[in-house]
């Protein structure tokens, strides 16, 4: 499976780029793309929801 990565528009503006894979189970720092953090979709959603609530 080939992962397609995307960045938040806000990440691109600030230079702090966190990318999420197309299947929402992988996260990486665009400055160090060889390291990928695998997370469950439910945990990733909870994390994003918590960020949005701030």
């Amino acid at each position: 499976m080939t992962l397609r990565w995307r960045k938040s528009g806000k990440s691109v503006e600030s230079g702090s780029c966190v990318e999420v894979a197309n299947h929402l189970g992988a996260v990486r720092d665009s400055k160090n793309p060889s390291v990928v953090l695998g997370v469950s979709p439910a945990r990733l959603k909870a994390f994003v929801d918590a960020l949005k609530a701030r």
Side-chain angles (χ1 to χ4, degrees), residues 7-35:
K7 298 177 192 176
S8 162
K10 291 183 180 182
S11 291
V12 174
E13 292 170 10
S14 72
S16 300
C17 302
V18 173
E19 299 176 315
V20 178
N22 55 322
H23 72 347
L24 297 179
V27 180
R28 70 180 184 184
D29 179 349
S30 62
K31 294 178 189 111
N32 188 7
S34 63
V35 178

